[in-house]
Amino acid sequence: MAKNLLIVESPAKAKTIEGYLGKDFLVKSSYGHIRDLVKTDDAIDTANNFKQQYEVPADKKAVVSELKKLAKAAETVWLASDEDREGEAISWHLYETLGLHDEKTKRIVFHEITKPAILKAIETPRGIDFNLVNAQQARRVLDRLVGFELSPVLWKKVKPSLSAGRVQSVAVRLIVDREREINRFKAEAAFKIVAIFHTDNSKELFKAELPQRFASVMDAERFLADCIPADFVVNGLETKPSKRNPAAPFTTSTLQQEASRKLGFSVARTMSVAQRLYEAGRITYMRTDSVNLSDTALQGAEQEIRSAYGDKYHKRRQYRTKSAGAQEAHEAIRPTYFDRHSIDGDNAERRLYELIWKRAIASQMSEAEFEKTTAKIGISTRAEELVANGEVMRFDGFLKVYFESTDDEHEPNLDNDTDNALLPPLQKNQRIQLKSMTATERFSRPAARYTEASLVKKLEELGIGRPSTYAPTISTIQNRGYVVKEDRDGKPRDYRVLELGGGTIATLTKTEITGAERSKLFPTDIGVVVNDFLVEHFKGIVDFNFTAKVEKEFDEIAQGMKEWTDMLHSFYGPFHNEVETTIKNADRATNERELGMDPETGKRVSVRIGRFGPMVQIGMADEEEKPRFASLRPGQMIETITFEEALELFKLPKKVGEFEEKEMTVAIGRFGPYIRHNNAFYSLPKGVDPHDVTTDSAIEIIKDKRQKDIEKIVKIFDENPDARIENGRWGPFIRFGKQNIKIPKGTEVQNITYADVLNWAEADEKKPKKKGRGKK
């Protein structure tokens, strides 16, 4: 039996570490947390200083039993869970649950899973840091109290089965506020002037732009008209050097943002892939808000840069973290070995590793050097000047390896690029020739909707959440149905272009697609209703400053500056009173809007949250004739649906033509939209709007379904057409009337006879049927 038992959180990490330690060490995994708060209301005793009641879940009992046995036999138990609050709490739970003792228990932490880091950690063990444990407990207890007390309020006042959380509610509020800001936005048009000039050499073309824009088409046209007889002269020429510095190495937040922009990864996927890289010893710990690099890392980066690119490409840089509460002792996310430019692994692991390597190595490289030239071009008939910019790279520096992306690149760029890579040789007072000039109508744009990555950035800016909470927060608000991440098609919009060429001005009308969205976060109607209810009745829970203050208090607890139960008392008393007052006094929330009166019936048309989600209603419940209901279409919202759009929803069921001399009707039923044809029902494929179904698309859906049904049937028995073998989700089975019968393992499907079917059907009938869950 090994003298030392070392316990980590994951099997992958255990496997990596085991390779670094000798036969005296046995490395085992706890598979994350081994115990949690009980699921019942008495998990936290608020009257007894927030005392918690924990339990070992059923799926962890075997793990705990094995670890207890091994711990008892070992001389020393090493607790090696992650170095953050959550990891510290896991070590504490292990200590308590396994019945460990101080004299034979050591706590170790490391930023990276490399042999030197593991051996150094073993040389410098410590005890469990109860400040970190208390900070984690404070967060866990506060979040459980908020969830357990708020959720029943939402069930009573909004809709059953809803839930609320502290950080999640703030994230939803940001998305709802942004959606409303966009809905209120009124685009303003202005005309942008871009000219193309050439020198005496007609091949030396370059662009110039007027810095200001014209609000009216008349002003733009007058400007172009004045330019017809004008002379154009270079009034000023300025050339100056400029430099660009590399970005700091990755924190959790910046890695999530850049992996979203460059690789198209969701926040959750980034963290999952980074976790695998960390556990395999490829990168340092991936939950960090520090941009600091250790001396070992700085030396490793320097050696690799000088070796791979040359001495002039290296510049030692030490970054300092700006965010409050960041731990400078921790490191930024970086490769464990800088000489490994790439790794083995799946595609996602290779791509994310390469991104981390490039960002870290670039942070220790020289500035990129440019020469920027600005030419100001005078117009003899106008007071304004056109401006031409050109930029030349003189030394690539860190850009040899890495260029940081921005969120703006994912916004539709409708403007022409008016920067020149290089201006032709120009001199002051030189006359130049106008080739063409355009005045293009451009519209102002609202603030962009959040992507997962830009939401993380905003939460970090506001001081809300920490590296370990960003990914679960964003997953939770989507899983709860408060927010959806989706693509939406844009709408066509006309814009005007005035073109000056050959002494004449032509006016054209062109069309662009505006408002197209890719992987953006949209609030759902239920998300809006819950948000508005919380804003009205629980201001603290969704207040940005309050939530950031709570995060700061967690940090103070972690640093031993604040008593965790004092912090909880100050929060819980006022919050609990708010809950009781709201249950007693608040009205039910439906976000109901009256849209108008139905022209056919004269009845009231309204939109609200119903039992099954957002819907339009014609008529009232207290009227003799029952109200009519229609669900909103994807992309429609209670706040923005118009009266005309609402009435359109009642056009289902609708006839969409004939097929095989039988009528086809599109309708929405209990299980979603469908086509009815010749007493058969055909579900619409996911994403197909029933309102958009045409004769041709309906026929295609019917034919596709029939073909799939044919392919599904493997064999029909002549003796009884109701007996047939079909391909199911888990392989072939026998459908015999209302019976679905398993085919015994090893049976050749084509050799099955009707006699076999009868025998198996009879045996199946005799089997005792499983009782439904909860029945006695």
Side-chain angles (χ1 to χ4, degrees):
M1 184 70 209
K3 291 181 187 176
N4 298 279
L5 172 66
L6 190 143
I7 306 173
V8 293
E9 290 170 62
S10 80
K13 195 194 290 187
K15 191 178 175 187
T16 307
I17 292 172
E18 205 160 35
Y20 300 141
L21 300 172
K23 60 179 178 4
D24 285 345
F25 277 84
L26 175 65
V27 186
K28 285 289 178 179
S29 167
S30 70
Y31 295 85
H33 277 281
I34 57 160
R35 69 176 186 177
D36 196 5
L37 292 168
V38 297
K39 301 283 187 246
T40 49
D41 291 351
D42 59 350
I44 298 155
D45 188 349
T46 54
N48 189 13
N49 223 20
F50 302 99
K51 188 177 178 184
Q52 302 121 63
Q53 193 176 327
Y54 288 101
E55 66 179 352
V56 176
D59 63 337
K60 288 296 174 72
K61 285 188 174 164
V63 174
V64 169
S65 176
E66 185 197 15
L67 291 176
K68 265 186 181 173
K69 200 161 111 185
L70 294 170
K72 201 171 180 182
E75 289 179 18
T76 307
V77 178
W78 303 78
L79 301 175
S81 50
D82 290 340
E83 58 176 329
D84 55 13
R85 295 174 201 168
E86 208 68 34
E88 206 68 27
I90 287 173
S91 279
W92 173 66
H93 285 302
L94 283 164
Y95 184 90
E96 295 267 310
T97 310
L98 303 182
L100 304 178
H101 302 286
D102 285 351
E103 60 271 14
K104 63 175 283 186
T105 307
K106 293 179 180 180
R107 170 82 171 115
I108 59 169
V109 293
F110 35 81
H111 304 308
E112 63 188 40
I113 303 174
T114 59
K115 190 170 184 177
I118 302 301
L119 295 177
K120 187 179 177 185
I122 285 171
E123 286 168 16
T124 54
R126 59 169 174 81
I128 291 171
D129 185 337
F130 282 95
N131 290 329
L132 290 178
V133 173
N134 290 339
Q136 191 273 345
Q137 279 194 99
R139 176 188 285 281
R140 184 78 183 90
V141 168
L142 190 147
D143 286 348
R144 168 62 75 92
L145 290 171
V146 169
F148 259 56
E149 298 215 359
L150 266 190
S151 297
V153 181
L154 296 178
W155 302 343
K156 287 185 176 80
K157 302 296 181 180
V158 184
K159 188 174 172 279
S161 303
L162 294 177
S163 55
R166 187 179 54 87
V167 178
Q168 295 95 310
S169 297
V170 176
V172 173
R173 183 179 181 184
L174 284 168
I175 292 163
V176 170
D177 287 353
R178 179 58 56 86
E179 193 68 23
R180 285 179 171 151
E181 185 186 343
I182 291 166
N183 290 337
R184 286 193 303 268
F185 182 80
K186 297 282 184 278
E188 292 180 356
F191 286 82
K192 174 184 174 178
I193 307 291
V194 176
I196 296 177
F197 291 103
H198 63 81
T199 61
D200 290 340
N201 178 351
S202 60
K203 290 182 180 177
E204 290 183 337
L205 296 170
F206 63 96
K207 289 180 183 177
E209 183 182 340
L210 191 69
Q212 61 266 50
R213 298 192 178 192
F214 294 110
S216 75
V217 68
M218 287 188 298
D219 290 342
E221 192 168 11
R222 190 177 302 118
F223 181 87
L224 261 59
D226 289 346
C227 287
I228 293 172
D231 293 325
F232 298 92
V233 175
V234 177
N235 283 349
L237 201 61
E238 184 181 27
T239 300
K240 59 181 179 181
S242 66
K243 289 184 178 180
R244 195 176 300 162
N245 289 310
F250 282 130
T251 61
T252 303
S253 163
T254 53
L255 176 64
Q256 289 169 350
Q257 291 167 52
E258 195 73 338
S260 171
R261 299 178 193 125
K262 276 194 159 69
L263 309 179
F265 285 7
S266 69
V267 166
R269 188 180 183 202
T270 297
M271 294 312 290
S272 171
V273 176
Q275 179 95 30
R276 297 203 299 270
L277 291 173
Y278 168 65
E279 289 173 352
R282 308 293 197 188
I283 62 170
T284 52
Y285 192 53
M286 66 286 153
R287 292 190 186 94
T288 176
D289 47 15
S290 171
V291 290
N292 186 46
L293 290 176
S294 66
D295 287 340
T296 307
L298 293 171
Q299 288 163 17
E302 178 177 352
Q303 192 175 339
E304 188 55 31
I305 291 163
R306 291 185 187 280
S307 162
Y309 307 110
D311 292 350
K312 67 177 180 177
Y313 278 93
H314 176 257
K315 180 171 182 179
R316 189 183 178 102
R317 299 170 189 274
Q318 191 60 280
Y319 296 87
R320 288 281 171 259
T321 304
K322 293 175 187 171
S323 64
Q327 302 292 307
E328 287 297 348
H330 295 180
E331 275 199 84
I333 303 168
R334 62 162 175 85
T336 48
Y337 301 103
F338 280 97
D339 59 350
R340 294 180 186 169
H341 295 216
S342 59
I343 58 159
D344 296 329
D346 65 30
N347 187 44
E349 289 167 0
R350 290 198 306 273
R351 292 172 72 204
L352 191 67
Y353 177 84
E354 188 179 307
L355 189 67
I356 292 166
W357 183 88
K358 285 180 174 179
R359 175 83 162 220
I361 205 93
S363 76
Q364 297 303 308
M365 292 178 75
S366 308
E367 302 95 338
E369 296 174 10
F370 298 88
E371 186 176 84
K372 189 168 185 175
T373 304
T374 303
K376 292 189 176 177
I377 297 155
I379 309 162
S380 62
T381 55
R382 301 280 301 201
E384 298 95 340
E385 287 182 318
L386 294 153
V387 177
N389 290 311
E391 189 174 64
V392 180
M393 185 189 290
R394 294 300 182 200
F395 175 61
D396 55 0
F398 75 94
L399 291 176
K400 191 172 195 72
V401 172
Y402 177 82
F403 182 75
E404 186 179 22
S405 301
T406 66
D407 288 317
D408 294 339
E409 290 172 19
H410 287 267
E411 295 306 311
N413 184 8
L414 303 173
D415 297 331
N416 293 321
D417 182 4
T418 49
D419 273 357
N420 305 274
L422 185 64
L423 288 173
L426 296 172
Q427 293 178 344
K428 195 174 178 183
N429 300 323
Q430 179 181 347
R431 286 188 62 173
I432 52 176
Q433 313 303 316
L434 178 68
K435 182 174 186 286
S436 64
M437 187 179 287
T438 58
T440 305
E441 187 175 23
R442 284 286 162 244
F443 296 88
S444 56
R445 292 201 293 263
R449 287 184 175 89
Y450 288 107
T451 60
E452 286 190 357
S454 63
L455 181 61
V456 165
K457 186 179 181 183
K458 186 66 177 176
L459 289 169
E460 187 181 41
E461 283 171 6
L462 293 169
I464 294 164
R466 288 295 179 261
S468 60
T469 63
Y470 300 134
T473 295
I474 287 173
S475 296
T476 299
I477 60 176
Q478 292 177 65
N479 293 339
R480 287 182 175 170
Y482 295 156
V483 169
V484 291
K485 181 174 80 169
E486 60 188 24
D487 299 343
R488 290 197 183 167
D489 294 334
K491 295 177 181 174
R493 175 174 66 189
D494 290 343
Y495 66 100
R496 292 167 289 179
V497 180
L498 309 179
E499 291 184 349
L500 166 59
T504 60
I505 299 170
T507 303
L508 309 172
T509 299
K510 295 186 177 181
T511 303
E512 64 193 6
I513 300 297
T514 181
E517 300 283 25
R518 295 289 171 265
S519 294
K520 292 293 178 68
L521 297 173
F522 296 84
T524 63
D525 279 306
I526 200 68
V528 171
V529 175
V530 169
N531 173 73
D532 291 354
F533 184 82
L534 294 177
V535 167
E536 184 179 352
H537 299 287
F538 296 93
K539 287 187 176 65
I541 293 296
V542 286
D543 180 78
F544 304 133
N545 294 327
F546 174 81
T547 311
K549 177 176 165 281
V550 169
E551 295 288 355
K552 191 165 177 286
E553 288 179 312
F554 290 147
D555 291 339
E556 288 168 358
I557 294 165
Q559 291 159 32
M561 296 161 59
K562 200 177 190 86
E563 172 57 44
W564 72 280
T565 53
D566 290 349
M567 180 259 181
L568 288 174
H569 280 297
S570 66
F571 168 83
Y572 182 69
F575 169 69
H576 184 67
N577 291 337
E578 274 185 330
V579 169
E580 292 191 323
T581 304
T582 305
I583 287 177
K584 190 175 173 184
N585 301 325
D587 293 328
R588 190 170 177 80
T590 62
N591 271 26
E592 186 168 4
R593 276 177 69 217
E594 188 172 333
L595 300 176
M597 305 303 285
D598 178 26
E600 282 186 27
T601 62
K603 291 184 176 183
R604 177 177 177 265
V605 180
S606 60
V607 60
R608 64 181 173 87
I609 289 283
R611 192 176 166 196
F612 300 108
M615 63 179 194
V616 177
Q617 178 175 326
I618 297 179
M620 305 282 284
D622 55 5
E623 292 173 348
E624 190 177 326
E625 191 179 341
K626 281 187 178 179
R628 292 166 62 207
F629 303 100
S631 297
L632 269 60
R633 297 168 71 175
Q636 290 182 329
M637 292 194 71
I638 288 174
E639 282 191 13
T640 54
I641 190 170
T642 64
F643 177 64
E644 291 73 21
E645 288 168 342
L647 289 182
E648 190 75 22
L649 297 174
F650 289 92
K651 291 185 176 174
L652 291 178
K654 69 169 183 177
K655 293 169 185 172
V656 289
E658 288 190 355
F659 176 51
E660 298 171 344
E661 298 181 357
K662 300 283 183 183
E663 205 169 69
M664 296 182 293
T665 304
V666 179
I668 296 178
R670 188 177 164 195
F671 303 107
Y674 64 89
I675 299 164
R676 180 172 181 156
H677 173 256
N678 195 20
N679 292 325
F681 299 88
Y682 303 87
S683 295
L684 295 192
K686 195 176 179 183
V688 174
D689 192 317
H691 294 266
D692 297 336
V693 175
T694 62
T695 304
D696 290 344
S697 62
I699 292 169
E700 194 177 329
I701 289 165
I702 292 169
K703 284 181 173 178
D704 280 353
K705 175 69 166 60
R706 287 177 180 176
Q707 184 59 36
K708 280 176 185 166
D709 286 346
I710 291 166
E711 289 166 3
K712 191 166 73 173
I713 297 168
V714 178
K715 183 176 181 179
I716 295 176
F717 295 91
D718 296 335
E719 296 92 332
N720 182 356
D722 283 342
R724 60 180 185 262
I725 301 173
E726 293 183 10
N727 274 319
R729 192 173 169 188
W730 291 283
F733 70 98
I734 296 165
R735 194 187 292 280
F736 186 55
K738 291 185 178 179
Q739 277 180 274
N740 289 343
I741 304 162
K742 275 187 181 178
I743 296 171
K745 276 186 183 176
T747 307
E748 283 288 337
V749 172
Q750 294 302 331
N751 296 337
I752 295 171
T753 64
Y754 184 60
D756 293 331
V757 174
L758 291 175
N759 289 334
W760 293 336
E762 188 179 346
D764 188 63
E765 278 290 326
K766 288 176 182 174
K767 279 184 191 171
K769 301 299 174 193
K770 287 181 184 175
K771 290 183 179 179
R773 197 179 279 178
K775 290 179 183 176
K776 293 181 180 174

